[in-house]
Amino acid sequence: MKRIEAIIRPNALKAVLDSLEAIGYPGVTVVEAQGHGTQKGATDTYRGQSVDGLLPKLIVSMVVEDNILEKAIDTIVKASRKGEIGDGKIFVYAVVDAVRIRTGDRGKKAL
């Protein structure tokens, strides 16, 4: 199993979620974040202090079986790419196990 963590622009979320659901993978977690890469960004205020270069981003996280990994990555890229700096990044991590709290199911059954 692999964990996909995609950092995307907020306006790409609907397209990403719709595209993932279309390939049969509706289960994701979305977290609001702020950050910047090479594009830097706008000046903002965080906890009362001026912070340069933070832009709103979303982190879309999901755990998938190895056989759907490339399809899920391609789907996220196609749904969120505008061809501009700041489109985002995708990170992939190995997952040792997954446990569904409600049932105790483990591994791919827990997904």
Side-chain angles (χ1 to χ4, degrees), residues 4-18 20 28-35 39 55-61 73 75-82 86-91:
I4 299 171
E5 183 179 272
I7 301 171
I8 63 170
R9 297 174 193 258
N11 61 3
L13 181 62
K14 181 167 177 21
V16 168
L17 295 179
D18 290 347
L20 287 170
V28 300
T29 300
V30 178
V31 177
E32 291 183 11
Q34 290 187 1
Q39 91 279 11
L55 295 171
K57 299 289 183 181
L58 295 175
I59 300 171
V60 178
S61 178
I73 290 171
T75 299
I76 294 167
V77 168
K78 288 176 185 170
S80 59
R81 177 185 285 161
K82 289 187 173 189
D87 277 350
K89 291 203 172 32
I90 296 175
F91 301 97

